[in-house]
Amino acid sequence: AVGLPYQNFLEYALRADLNASGPQSIEAQQVFAFVKSETPEDAVIVFVKPRVLGVYGERDSFAQHPDKELRGDFDYVLLSQDLPDASAERFLARADSTWRPVFRNERFTLYAPASSTLR
């Protein structure tokens, strides 16, 4: 009887087709497939959920505290409409034309330096 209050939540969490905003969503799977196929294996990507990107995108990733300036050695920045990342958003706003989108779908945008050969 202890688990009864969580029954609806568990059903929702276990049904990937109902969980439209998680890492199993179509849009998330699209960006993870792009990352795996189009970025170098040693690429480092800034993303608010670095463990998720590590598991599904198979790339190293890190996140910066929202109040801090984004610093470090990284190759790409991944933003999600569903997951605010103030540090990365400020970085890209200041970067102006030196970073550009190389992948975009309804929920995700992957940015690379303008000098990148990734299209």
Side-chain angles (χ1 to χ4, degrees):
V2 173
L4 289 178
Y6 300 103
Q7 183 177 5
N8 289 339
F9 172 77
L10 287 174
E11 179 183 342
Y12 175 80
L14 295 173
R15 297 266 328 259
D17 57 328
L18 295 177
N19 192 357
S21 64
Q24 296 292 327
S25 71
I26 292 170
E27 296 86 1
Q29 291 300 308
Q30 289 171 344
V31 74
F32 298 143
F34 182 86
V35 164
K36 285 193 286 189
S37 67
E38 302 298 326
T39 64
E41 288 185 18
D42 62 348
V44 177
I45 302 172
V46 173
F47 184 52
V48 70
K49 297 284 188 178
R51 288 180 288 184
V52 170
L53 188 58
V55 170
Y56 291 96
E58 299 178 8
R59 297 297 181 265
D60 288 339
S61 181
F62 71 90
Q64 182 66 53
H65 188 280
D67 295 334
K68 306 271 184 182
E69 295 302 314
L70 182 57
R71 294 173 196 226
D73 190 17
F74 56 91
D75 304 294
Y76 304 94
V77 175
L78 179 59
L79 295 182
S80 171
Q81 290 183 351
D82 304 327
L83 304 167
D85 187 348
S87 181
E89 290 167 9
R90 281 193 310 273
F91 170 81
L92 290 169
R94 289 188 193 122
D96 197 26
S97 63
T98 60
W99 285 72
R100 62 181 173 74
V102 293
F103 174 88
R104 180 176 284 147
N105 66 18
E106 294 79 22
R107 291 182 46 222
F108 295 94
T109 305
L110 180 68
Y111 293 86
S115 61
S116 171
T117 58
L118 191 63
R119 299 275 171 220

